[in-house]
């Protein structure tokens, strides 16, 4: 392979794009792998040698190789870097759509396969609160009162931003409990975080603009980004949350940055204060907006509470997202976006044209639930309950799988991540086996948003599982983890990628 | 002006696009008008002369001029065709965004200015049912019963397509009353027509794909199309509804065709059966999907009922949209999409990933309302009531403005169109004056979706106005129409465009 020729040809064709040298090299090699010029199994020339041949800094080459690895096109072993066979990561993105997607737009074809019904219920399913502890009778009473208070005129189209009393109650709650700096005019009611994400992606980015997603990250954000025609860049997540490098800001400048700083989805990492402040500053410099999805951080068990990014700097360029799906119950369908003050007016204009304007009684009832103190009381009770359940789960995990897996991200929220130590266990295979035993434990590696994600393990939701059942469930899981077959189905790429994960 | 030079230069630059000759000519002239080469006031060379000079058929030139006229770039008088001064039609599309839009994405900046609160309530506002005639107590009882029937498990995320009992009840109702051929698996519950439109635009078209909107047409469809990054082509509407020409299918082939065949929004035109059948055939040939928005056709007063397009041919390529905002009440937020059988599976897949899954109690209550016969009873009552109100409005209009305006599109729905005769009255100016007298009568010309729309008049909603109040309200309106100033604010372009409207 004449790399100099390959690269100079490519450079000639793409000169007009004005890409920096490292991006040119990265794009060139990727194109060569895609079109088969660099076939699967090909061993790439050593970084030092290629740098010398091309007359560039070795860092330039290292960067390109690292990008290719993070995208799953190459893998490294002790002897160097090898082009991988069709990797599952881009098999997902590039395989022809399965028959069930026929007729859908391109942008909607390559969403992750959604969980089937069996995925949604079962032990360790994530995102589901302790439904049987919700004060349903009390809620029904408030709802009935709200309905009886309605005049005929209130059956009409309502304010597109939401009912004023609810926006007000939410602003008060956020200021007091989450350090969010806002007033009611900045709060926009939606029917769920998916709608909030759709709104943010369409209102604040255009087709082809880049959005950063955490990698691994939330599938709903991926769906919203794809649906809005955005260009997705997966940014690595490490033990301290989303970890963009200076190169990312330079080479893949974002219009939007989606992040779950208080309890990263799915890993549970908590974004450090240093990184929070850096994120605001970098976003401001780049003219980007941060979408801060604070989906389950009302439940915090240990460690000092961290304020929402939104409140860390005056007029932070942050769209703060919250939901009542976890704190109340999922089928309620009430959530919200808090917009920066300067964007509240334009957003109100847009919502007036495109929002679904109604559900007055539900909003009034929720406002009363908040105002009456019942919401805070319910949160306190659930925090206590979930902490017991979390503690029971952690104990059981340490007892039964402490030798081969580690608990991560358990300081807040309703789920934790169980990370597999070493390279032996295949999380996707174990997740599939668990499902046959009615255990719903999503694999971390499957939550990738671009290329491979470098995490290997399971997501375990505990909010809806009584403490006394934990030990039995974990035993079932432990049997799978200790079974000799666990490693058999392992796929080389993901395991290698996990090894290479950048820890910036 | 050397037209031959102008056009040959343009042709050279755009040869690679492979456009047919008439499109080249149209695009070339439009570009020349936009960049000032053909300044406002310039009289275009006569079609016959230009055809001779270019050596093309005169029809080619006629077509180009007609397109420019329909887009508002030129106008014709007895002596020929003149480039207009900055026309309001494209001033809307091309003016820099007002300050209130700062920060929004490009695609969301140029939506029509949404109605403010004052627009939403007042005499003649459209789209609002007789709220004080809704059986609210009965509905509350059904809702309370549904809530009491819920188990804790039903507070969880629900089926993304909607509750099975509701989908089933809707399918039964549509088969019986609208001639829609479907089963429950094709019915997808949404929280309003705006959501249905967003869904259709994103699930079945990609950025840059063309969607046809009726011109004039529904602003919500325009918002959904823009939000999905689609390329909007406004198709003329005449007395028999949307009227695409063969040229439209050829030159602006659509991926989606949005239409309101049973009671065109805003004109009230009813799409003829011949055109319905032709639309299905042409859409099938073009590989396009028709979005049939049947928003208020449950209320039909005279003339033979026409089946929904969806049911006119087996497996018609139609996405049928319905809503309970008009038949029940707007703040309910329940509507639906009926997908073709072949697309139901893919859509279910996509919804599982991106839909807002919940509101079980409301859906169960609505299913009971339908099943119990209360829905049909309510519809019968409202049909009787609205017919009385419509008759009273028509009588009053004939009495007070019969000399200068004509009622159109009153055979169904909840509003009618009052068309101004002749070129004197300026509908936008009259609408503004009416608002000062608490009368909300939207101007037809403002409902344009591309260029000028060729309609001049007002939309008058009557569903919520007692019959005995009609005469007084119409008197107020009549005073405005007969005032000597009505024509003063008239803008030449729109009036001329009305003259030129194609009547295919």
């Amino acid at each position: 392979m004449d790399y100099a020729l390959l690269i100079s040809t490519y450079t000639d064709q793409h000169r007009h794009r004005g890409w920096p040298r490292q991006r040119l090299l990265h794009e060139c090699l990727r194109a060569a792998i895609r079109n088969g010029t660099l076939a699967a199994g090909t061993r790439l020339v050593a970084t030092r040698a290629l740098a010398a041949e091309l007359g560039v800094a070795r860092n330039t080459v290292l960067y390109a190789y690292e990008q290719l690895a993070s995208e799953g096109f190459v893998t490294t072993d002790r002897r160097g870097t090898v082009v991988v066979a069709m990797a599952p990561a881009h098999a997902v993105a590039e395989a022809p759509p399965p028959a069930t997607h026929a007729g859908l737009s391109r942008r909607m074809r390559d969403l992750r396969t959604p969980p089937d019904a069996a995925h949604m219920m079962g032990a360790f399913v994530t995102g589901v609160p302790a439904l049987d502890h919700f004060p349903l009778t009390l809620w029904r009473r408030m709802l009935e009162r709200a309905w009886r208070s309605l005049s005929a005129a209130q059956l009409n189209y309502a304010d597109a931003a939401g009912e004023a009393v609810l926006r007000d109650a939410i602003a008060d709650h956020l200021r007091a409990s989450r350090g969010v700096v806002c007033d009611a005019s900045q709060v926009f009611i939606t029917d769920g975080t998916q709608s909030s994400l759709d709104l943010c992606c369409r209102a604040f980015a255009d087709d082809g603009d880049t959005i950063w997603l955490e990698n691994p990250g939330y599938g709903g954000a991926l769906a919203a980004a794809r649906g809005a025609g955005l260009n997705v860049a997966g940014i690595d997540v490490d033990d301290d949350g989303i970890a963009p490098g200076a190169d990312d800001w330079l080479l893949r400048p974002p219009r939007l940055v989606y992040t779950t700083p208080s309890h990263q989805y799915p890993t549970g990492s908590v974004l450090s204060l240093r990184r929070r402040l850096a994120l605001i500053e970098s976003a401001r410099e780049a003219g980007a907006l941060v979408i801060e999805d604070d989906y389950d951080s009302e439940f915090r068990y240990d460690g000092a509470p961290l304020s929402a990014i939104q409140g860390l700097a005056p007029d932070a360029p942050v769209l703060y997202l919250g939901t009542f799906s976890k704190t109340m119950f999922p089928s309620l369908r009430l959530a919200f976006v808090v917009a920066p003050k300067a964007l509240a007016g334009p957003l109100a204009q847009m919502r007036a044209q495109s929002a679904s304007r109604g559900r007055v009684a539900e909003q009034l009832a929720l406002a009363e639930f908040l105002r009456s103190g019942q919401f805070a009381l319910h949160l306190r009770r659930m925090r206590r309950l979930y902490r017991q359940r979390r503690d029971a789960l952690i104990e059981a995990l340490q007892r039964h799988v402490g030798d081969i897996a580690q608990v991560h991200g358990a300081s807040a929220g309703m789920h934790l991540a169980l990370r597999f130590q070493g390279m032996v266990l295949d999380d996707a295979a174990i997740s599939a086996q668990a499902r046959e035993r009615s255990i719903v434990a999503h694999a971390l590696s499957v939550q990738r948003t671009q290329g491979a994600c470098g995490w290997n393990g399971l997501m375990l939701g505990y909010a809806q599982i009584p403490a006394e059942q934990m030990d039995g469930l974990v035993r079932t899981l432990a049997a799978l983890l200790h079974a000799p077959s666990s490693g058999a189905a392992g796929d080389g790429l993901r395991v290698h990628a996990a090894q290479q994960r950048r820890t910036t």
Side-chain angles (χ1 to χ4, degrees), chain A residues 170 188-193 196 322-325 333-337:
Chain A
I170 290 173
F188 293 83
I189 308 298
T190 73
D191 75 345
T193 293
S196 300
T323 177
F324 292 99
S325 291
R333 309 323 305 152
L334 284 171
F336 53 87
V337 177

Side-chain angles (χ1 to χ4, degrees), chain A residues 216 237-239 267 269 408 419 427 444-445 453-457 501:
Chain A
V237 168
D238 65 21
D239 290 8
T267 67
S269 293
H408 179 77
R419 292 171 85 169
D427 60 0
L444 291 175
S445 68
C453 73
W455 286 73
N456 183 28
R501 188 165 54 81

